[in-house]
Amino acid sequence: MKIINYTSVAPTHFDNDQAKSVAGGVVIGKDDGANNFCMRVFEVAPGGHTPKHTHAWEHEIFFHAGEGEVYGNGKLNPVVPGTVLFVPPNEEHQIRNTGKELLIFACLIPSSAPEL
Amino acid sequence: MKIINYTSVAPTHFDNDQAKSVAGGVVIGKDDGANNFCMRVFEVAPGGHTPKHTHAWEHEIFFHAGEGEVYGNGKLNPVVPGTVLFVPPNEEHQIRNTGKELLIFACLIPSSAPEL
């Protein structure tokens, strides 16, 4: 088995025209022998956000820490630690940090998707 | 999309000769259209533990709260909030709460496995 703290994985930083103040890394993936689905952990800094986008694969997300909102179903929905989010394939979504601390979540995707 | 707090799912309780003081439920599954993998969230009470067992499917686990240890690789390994655990198929494992608060974790499995 593999046991790590997610913070031991050097994150990739995303700051561009679509994402702001997002850092994340693959914590369980194909390199570990995980052939069916992949876990990434992301930290979004206060004021930051993920892209508002769609793609052909689903997300299964568990919010670990911080406060934010997710765009989906045509509105902004609050998220807190313990919130669970399922984004089906091809559904527009965006996650925003509206709090004062890091917004931290595990986001899992099927093996058919790019890992990061 | 589906957005819930994991606590809104009525848990199934496991107290038998193998599991002690474990409660958990499916938060994202086939009923939601999640066809590739399934998210369950478990709470283990202080002194409680999951079964020491093996099965043919993998686990991808994110520890959200509490303190505990996982049996694997022939020893007991500490887990804290932010610990990530990958248990490959057919590898013996057990999760124990060694702290004074609930040990809470999201545990994901492939769609080939029973959801709970």
Side-chain angles (χ1 to χ4, degrees):
Chain A
M1 62 177 54
K2 176 186 181 182
I3 308 172
I4 60 167
N5 194 289
Y6 84 86
T7 57
S8 71
V9 174
T12 299
H13 293 270
F14 300 89
D15 263 296
N16 50 52
D17 57 344
Q18 294 194 312
K20 181 181 174 188
S21 303
V22 175
V26 176
V27 294
I28 303 172
K30 289 175 185 164
D31 285 350
D32 303 304
N35 295 323
N36 293 305
F37 56 102
C38 168
M39 184 188 294
R40 302 93 48 84
V41 177
F42 292 94
E43 294 181 344
V44 182
H49 57 80
T50 67
K52 194 173 194 175
H53 65 175
T54 64
H55 41 65
W57 54 89
E58 72 272 30
H59 283 323
E60 299 192 18
I61 294 176
F62 184 88
F63 286 91
H64 171 55
E67 296 180 3
E69 57 191 18
V70 56
Y71 173 79
N73 297 338
K75 61 182 178 174
L76 293 168
N77 309 273
V79 299
V80 297
T83 297
V84 167
L85 170 63
F86 175 57
V87 183
N90 302 307
E91 185 168 320
E92 192 174 41
H93 58 282
Q94 182 183 44
I95 295 167
R96 295 176 166 269
N97 185 342
T98 57
K100 295 181 178 177
E101 307 292 336
L102 287 175
L103 179 65
I104 305 171
F105 56 92
C107 176
L108 292 102
I109 53 172
S111 57
S112 57
E115 290 197 326
L116 193 67
Chain B
M1 62 177 52
K2 176 185 181 183
I3 308 173
I4 61 168
N5 194 288
Y6 84 87
T7 57
S8 71
V9 174
T12 299
H13 293 270
F14 301 89
D15 263 296
N16 50 52
D17 58 344
Q18 294 193 312
K20 180 181 176 188
S21 303
V22 175
V26 175
V27 293
I28 303 172
K30 288 173 185 165
D31 285 351
D32 303 304
N35 295 323
N36 294 305
F37 56 102
C38 167
M39 184 188 291
R40 303 92 48 85
V41 177
F42 292 93
E43 294 181 343
V44 182
H49 57 79
T50 66
K52 194 174 195 175
H53 66 174
T54 63
H55 41 65
W57 54 90
E58 72 272 29
H59 284 324
E60 299 192 18
I61 294 176
F62 184 89
F63 286 91
H64 171 55
E67 296 179 5
E69 57 191 18
V70 56
Y71 172 80
N73 297 338
K75 60 181 180 176
L76 294 167
N77 308 274
V79 300
V80 297
T83 297
V84 167
L85 171 63
F86 175 58
V87 182
N90 302 308
E91 185 167 321
E92 192 174 40
H93 57 282
Q94 182 184 45
I95 294 167
R96 295 175 167 272
N97 185 344
T98 58
K100 295 181 177 177
E101 308 292 336
L102 288 174
L103 179 64
I104 306 172
F105 57 92
C107 176
L108 292 101
I109 53 173
S111 57
S112 56
E115 290 197 328
L116 194 66

